[in-house]
PDB file of all heavy atoms in Angstrom:
ATOM      1  N   CYS A  21       9.030   7.713   6.784  1.00  0.00           N
ATOM      2  CA  CYS A  21       7.663   7.288   6.325  1.00  0.00           C
ATOM      3  C   CYS A  21       6.605   7.746   7.255  1.00  0.00           C
ATOM      4  O   CYS A  21       6.842   7.755   8.557  1.00  0.00           O
ATOM      5  CB  CYS A  21       7.599   5.812   6.112  1.00  0.00           C
ATOM      6  SG  CYS A  21       8.843   5.219   4.922  1.00  0.00           S
ATOM      7  N   GLU A  22       5.407   8.040   6.737  1.00  0.00           N
ATOM      8  CA  GLU A  22       4.319   8.654   7.506  1.00  0.00           C
ATOM      9  C   GLU A  22       3.862   7.657   8.586  1.00  0.00           C
ATOM     10  O   GLU A  22       3.288   8.052   9.589  1.00  0.00           O
ATOM     11  CB  GLU A  22       3.193   9.004   6.615  1.00  0.00           C
ATOM     12  CG  GLU A  22       2.501   7.879   5.922  1.00  0.00           C
ATOM     13  CD  GLU A  22       1.294   8.276   5.052  1.00  0.00           C
ATOM     14  OE1 GLU A  22       0.625   9.252   5.404  1.00  0.00           O
ATOM     15  OE2 GLU A  22       1.189   7.746   4.015  1.00  0.00           O
ATOM     16  N   ASP A  23       4.041   6.312   8.464  1.00  0.00           N
ATOM     17  CA  ASP A  23       3.652   5.383   9.448  1.00  0.00           C
ATOM     18  C   ASP A  23       4.539   5.395  10.660  1.00  0.00           C
ATOM     19  O   ASP A  23       4.317   4.704  11.700  1.00  0.00           O
ATOM     20  CB  ASP A  23       3.481   4.014   8.882  1.00  0.00           C
ATOM     21  CG  ASP A  23       4.762   3.396   8.447  1.00  0.00           C
ATOM     22  OD1 ASP A  23       5.795   3.957   8.580  1.00  0.00           O
ATOM     23  OD2 ASP A  23       4.697   2.214   7.922  1.00  0.00           O
ATOM     24  N   GLN A  24       5.587   6.116  10.600  1.00  0.00           N
ATOM     25  CA  GLN A  24       6.671   6.308  11.609  1.00  0.00           C
ATOM     26  C   GLN A  24       7.244   4.977  12.113  1.00  0.00           C
ATOM     27  O   GLN A  24       7.754   4.801  13.244  1.00  0.00           O
ATOM     28  CB  GLN A  24       6.035   7.033  12.854  1.00  0.00           C
ATOM     29  CG  GLN A  24       5.561   8.410  12.490  1.00  0.00           C
ATOM     30  CD  GLN A  24       4.973   9.196  13.684  1.00  0.00           C
ATOM     31  OE1 GLN A  24       5.503   9.058  14.772  1.00  0.00           O
ATOM     32  NE2 GLN A  24       4.036   9.994  13.443  1.00  0.00           N
ATOM     33  N   ALA A  25       7.295   3.990  11.220  1.00  0.00           N
ATOM     34  CA  ALA A  25       7.964   2.731  11.489  1.00  0.00           C
ATOM     35  C   ALA A  25       9.426   2.912  11.089  1.00  0.00           C
ATOM     36  O   ALA A  25       9.881   4.044  11.074  1.00  0.00           O
ATOM     37  CB  ALA A  25       7.298   1.605  10.715  1.00  0.00           C
ATOM     38  N   SER A  26      10.136   1.965  10.776  1.00  0.00           N
ATOM     39  CA  SER A  26      11.557   2.061  10.361  1.00  0.00           C
ATOM     40  C   SER A  26      11.718   2.928   9.160  1.00  0.00           C
ATOM     41  O   SER A  26      10.824   3.104   8.351  1.00  0.00           O
ATOM     42  CB  SER A  26      12.034   0.649   9.972  1.00  0.00           C
ATOM     43  OG  SER A  26      11.910  -0.169  11.093  1.00  0.00           O
ATOM     44  N   LEU A  27      12.900   3.523   9.062  1.00  0.00           N
ATOM     45  CA  LEU A  27      13.251   4.301   7.884  1.00  0.00           C
ATOM     46  C   LEU A  27      13.269   3.354   6.643  1.00  0.00           C
ATOM     47  O   LEU A  27      13.533   2.189   6.741  1.00  0.00           O
ATOM     48  CB  LEU A  27      14.570   4.962   8.052  1.00  0.00           C
ATOM     49  CG  LEU A  27      14.688   5.989   9.161  1.00  0.00           C
ATOM     50  CD1 LEU A  27      16.144   6.375   9.379  1.00  0.00           C
ATOM     51  CD2 LEU A  27      13.851   7.181   8.875  1.00  0.00           C
ATOM     52  N   ALA A  28      13.020   3.957   5.488  1.00  0.00           N
ATOM     53  CA  ALA A  28      12.970   3.147   4.232  1.00  0.00           C
ATOM     54  C   ALA A  28      14.255   3.587   3.455  1.00  0.00           C
ATOM     55  O   ALA A  28      14.666   4.787   3.382  1.00  0.00           O
ATOM     56  CB  ALA A  28      11.785   3.387   3.400  1.00  0.00           C
ATOM     57  N   TYR A  29      14.969   2.557   2.933  1.00  0.00           N
ATOM     58  CA  TYR A  29      16.202   2.814   2.202  1.00  0.00           C
ATOM     59  C   TYR A  29      15.958   2.618   0.651  1.00  0.00           C
ATOM     60  O   TYR A  29      15.422   1.591   0.323  1.00  0.00           O
ATOM     61  CB  TYR A  29      17.303   1.827   2.657  1.00  0.00           C
ATOM     62  CG  TYR A  29      17.638   2.137   4.152  1.00  0.00           C
ATOM     63  CD1 TYR A  29      16.946   1.536   5.181  1.00  0.00           C
ATOM     64  CD2 TYR A  29      18.645   2.998   4.440  1.00  0.00           C
ATOM     65  CE1 TYR A  29      17.222   1.829   6.520  1.00  0.00           C
ATOM     66  CE2 TYR A  29      18.927   3.300   5.728  1.00  0.00           C
ATOM     67  CZ  TYR A  29      18.238   2.678   6.787  1.00  0.00           C
ATOM     68  OH  TYR A  29      18.497   2.961   8.112  1.00  0.00           O
ATOM     69  N   LEU A  30      16.309   3.625  -0.051  1.00  0.00           N
ATOM     70  CA  LEU A  30      16.255   3.648  -1.479  1.00  0.00           C
ATOM     71  C   LEU A  30      17.532   3.281  -2.059  1.00  0.00           C
ATOM     72  O   LEU A  30      18.516   3.955  -1.747  1.00  0.00           O
ATOM     73  CB  LEU A  30      15.712   4.946  -2.019  1.00  0.00           C
ATOM     74  CG  LEU A  30      15.718   5.176  -3.544  1.00  0.00           C
ATOM     75  CD1 LEU A  30      14.832   4.225  -4.277  1.00  0.00           C
ATOM     76  CD2 LEU A  30      15.386   6.604  -3.865  1.00  0.00           C
ATOM     77  N   GLU A  31      17.579   2.261  -2.908  1.00  0.00           N
ATOM     78  CA  GLU A  31      18.840   1.899  -3.570  1.00  0.00           C
ATOM     79  C   GLU A  31      18.645   1.718  -5.042  1.00  0.00           C
ATOM     80  O   GLU A  31      18.022   0.703  -5.490  1.00  0.00           O
ATOM     81  CB  GLU A  31      19.401   0.618  -2.911  1.00  0.00           C
ATOM     82  CG  GLU A  31      19.786   0.773  -1.519  1.00  0.00           C
ATOM     83  CD  GLU A  31      20.389  -0.429  -0.896  1.00  0.00           C
ATOM     84  OE1 GLU A  31      20.530  -1.460  -1.584  1.00  0.00           O
ATOM     85  OE2 GLU A  31      20.784  -0.359   0.225  1.00  0.00           O
ATOM     86  N   GLY A  32      19.118   2.668  -5.812  1.00  0.00           N
ATOM     87  CA  GLY A  32      19.093   2.533  -7.315  1.00  0.00           C
ATOM     88  C   GLY A  32      17.920   3.195  -7.957  1.00  0.00           C
ATOM     89  O   GLY A  32      16.754   3.229  -7.370  1.00  0.00           O
ATOM     90  N   ARG A  33      18.180   3.761  -9.114  1.00  0.00           N
ATOM     91  CA  ARG A  33      17.103   4.458  -9.893  1.00  0.00           C
ATOM     92  C   ARG A  33      16.003   3.411 -10.367  1.00  0.00           C
ATOM     93  O   ARG A  33      14.947   3.893 -10.641  1.00  0.00           O
ATOM     94  CB  ARG A  33      17.708   5.120 -11.107  1.00  0.00           C
ATOM     95  CG  ARG A  33      18.544   6.324 -10.750  1.00  0.00           C
ATOM     96  CD  ARG A  33      19.032   7.085 -11.964  1.00  0.00           C
ATOM     97  NE  ARG A  33      19.853   8.198 -11.569  1.00  0.00           N
ATOM     98  CZ  ARG A  33      19.362   9.458 -11.247  1.00  0.00           C
ATOM     99  NH1 ARG A  33      18.100   9.666 -11.313  1.00  0.00           N
ATOM    100  NH2 ARG A  33      20.191  10.375 -10.864  1.00  0.00           N
ATOM    101  N   GLY A  34      16.315   2.191 -10.372  1.00  0.00           N
ATOM    102  CA  GLY A  34      15.281   1.205 -10.764  1.00  0.00           C
ATOM    103  C   GLY A  34      14.162   1.177  -9.884  1.00  0.00           C
ATOM    104  O   GLY A  34      13.098   0.616 -10.174  1.00  0.00           O
TER     105      GLY A  34
END
Side-chain angles (χ1 to χ4, degrees):
C21 301
E22 68 179 324
D23 66 2
Q24 299 185 34
S26 301
L27 297 172
Y29 295 88
L30 171 63
E31 294 183 358
R33 288 184 184 274

